[in-house]
Amino acid sequence: MITKECINCGACQEACPTGAIFEDMLNSIIVINPDICTECVGFYERTMCQIECPIECIEIHPQYRESLDILFERAKRLFPNTNFSNPPPSHLKNG
Protein backbone atom coordinates (compact mmCIF):
# COMPACT_ATOMS: atom_id res chain seq x y z
CA MET A 1 0.00 0.00 0.00
CA ILE A 2 1.27 3.44 -0.86
CA THR A 3 0.47 5.98 1.84
CA LYS A 4 -0.73 9.54 1.33
CA GLU A 5 2.83 10.80 1.91
CA CYS A 6 3.73 9.63 -1.63
CA ILE A 7 5.27 12.35 -3.79
CA ASN A 8 4.57 10.50 -7.09
CA CYS A 9 8.25 10.34 -8.02
CA GLY A 10 7.86 6.99 -9.81
CA ALA A 11 10.89 5.30 -8.22
CA CYS A 12 8.74 2.40 -7.05
CA GLN A 13 7.23 1.91 -10.51
CA GLU A 14 10.65 1.56 -12.09
CA ALA A 15 11.76 -0.91 -9.41
CA CYS A 16 8.72 -3.20 -9.64
CA PRO A 17 9.55 -6.42 -11.54
CA THR A 18 5.89 -7.31 -12.16
CA GLY A 19 4.41 -4.00 -13.26
CA ALA A 20 2.03 -4.02 -10.28
CA ILE A 21 2.70 -0.37 -9.50
CA PHE A 22 1.13 2.23 -11.75
CA GLU A 23 -0.20 5.76 -11.77
CA ASP A 24 -3.94 6.17 -11.42
CA MET A 25 -4.27 9.05 -13.86
CA LEU A 26 -7.82 9.89 -12.77
CA ASN A 27 -6.75 10.51 -9.17
CA SER A 28 -3.10 11.43 -9.82
CA ILE A 29 -1.80 8.86 -7.35
CA ILE A 30 0.44 5.82 -7.57
CA VAL A 31 -1.21 2.54 -6.59
CA ILE A 32 -0.29 -1.13 -6.26
CA ASN A 33 -2.43 -3.80 -7.91
CA PRO A 34 -2.52 -6.62 -5.31
CA ASP A 35 -3.47 -9.17 -7.99
CA ILE A 36 -0.12 -8.63 -9.72
CA CYS A 37 2.13 -7.78 -6.76
CA THR A 38 4.35 -10.64 -5.58
CA GLU A 39 6.21 -8.53 -3.00
CA CYS A 40 9.19 -9.32 -5.26
CA VAL A 41 9.02 -13.01 -4.29
CA GLY A 42 10.80 -14.93 -7.03
CA PHE A 43 12.75 -11.89 -8.14
CA TYR A 44 14.55 -10.32 -5.18
CA GLU A 45 15.26 -10.99 -1.52
CA ARG A 46 13.71 -7.66 -0.54
CA THR A 47 10.71 -5.66 -1.68
CA MET A 48 12.28 -3.31 -4.21
CA CYS A 49 9.54 -0.67 -4.10
CA GLN A 50 10.19 -0.15 -0.40
CA ILE A 51 13.94 0.05 -0.97
CA GLU A 52 13.65 2.56 -3.81
CA CYS A 53 11.02 4.83 -2.22
CA PRO A 54 12.85 7.99 -1.11
CA ILE A 55 10.28 8.83 1.56
CA GLU A 56 9.48 5.31 2.80
CA CYS A 57 5.75 5.51 2.13
CA ILE A 58 5.17 1.91 0.98
CA GLU A 59 3.82 -0.67 3.41
CA ILE A 60 2.41 -4.17 3.09
CA HIS A 61 -1.36 -3.66 3.15
CA PRO A 62 -2.87 -5.50 6.13
CA GLN A 63 -5.69 -6.90 3.96
CA TYR A 64 -3.18 -8.43 1.54
CA ARG A 65 -0.70 -10.21 3.81
CA GLU A 66 0.05 -13.38 1.87
CA SER A 67 2.34 -16.33 2.39
CA LEU A 68 5.50 -17.06 0.47
CA ASP A 69 3.74 -19.97 -1.23
CA ILE A 70 0.87 -17.82 -2.50
CA LEU A 71 3.16 -15.04 -3.72
CA PHE A 72 5.51 -17.51 -5.44
CA GLU A 73 2.60 -19.26 -7.17
CA ARG A 74 1.40 -15.87 -8.39
CA ALA A 75 4.85 -15.05 -9.80
CA LYS A 76 4.98 -18.40 -11.63
CA ARG A 77 1.46 -17.90 -13.01
CA LEU A 78 2.15 -14.34 -14.18
CA PHE A 79 5.55 -15.18 -15.66
CA PRO A 80 5.29 -18.78 -16.92
CA ASN A 81 8.39 -18.50 -19.11
CA THR A 82 10.64 -17.42 -16.23
CA ASN A 83 12.95 -20.02 -14.75
CA PHE A 84 12.54 -19.28 -11.02
CA SER A 85 14.86 -20.80 -8.44
CA ASN A 86 13.26 -22.95 -5.75
CA PRO A 87 13.18 -21.80 -3.04
CA PRO A 88 12.69 -18.36 -4.55
CA PRO A 89 14.43 -15.18 -3.45
CA SER A 90 12.16 -13.62 -0.83
CA HIS A 91 11.92 -11.45 2.25
CA LEU A 92 9.51 -14.03 3.72
CA LYS A 93 10.11 -17.38 5.36
CA ASN A 94 8.59 -20.56 3.91
CA GLY A 95 4.95 -21.11 4.70
Side-chain angles (χ1 to χ4, degrees):
M1 146 175 108
I2 299 175
T3 66
K4 64 183 179 183
E5 288 79 19
C6 177
I7 58 173
N8 293 353
C9 69
C12 58
Q13 289 175 277
E14 294 174 20
C16 181
T18 66
I21 302 174
F22 62 96
E23 185 172 357
D24 175 346
M25 302 299 266
L26 183 62
N27 297 304
S28 298
I29 59 172
I30 295 178
V31 295
I32 300 173
N33 180 338
D35 296 328
I36 300 172
C37 179
T38 66
E39 295 178 26
C40 292
V41 168
F43 299 96
Y44 302 107
E45 291 185 0
R46 298 183 57 202
T47 50
M48 298 307 293
C49 61
Q50 290 177 318
I51 291 169
E52 294 298 321
C53 180
I55 60 168
E56 300 178 353
C57 70
I58 300 175
E59 304 169 356
I60 303 300
H61 195 291
Q63 284 185 293
Y64 297 105
R65 292 201 184 273
E66 298 173 300
S67 70
L68 170 64
D69 294 335
I70 289 172
L71 294 168
F72 189 39
E73 286 303 314
R74 180 177 300 141
K76 292 188 295 187
R77 180 176 41 82
L78 292 170
F79 300 93
N81 297 323
T82 300
N83 187 17
F84 292 104
S85 61
N86 197 359
S90 172
H91 67 285
L92 299 169
K93 294 180 178 162
N94 282 328

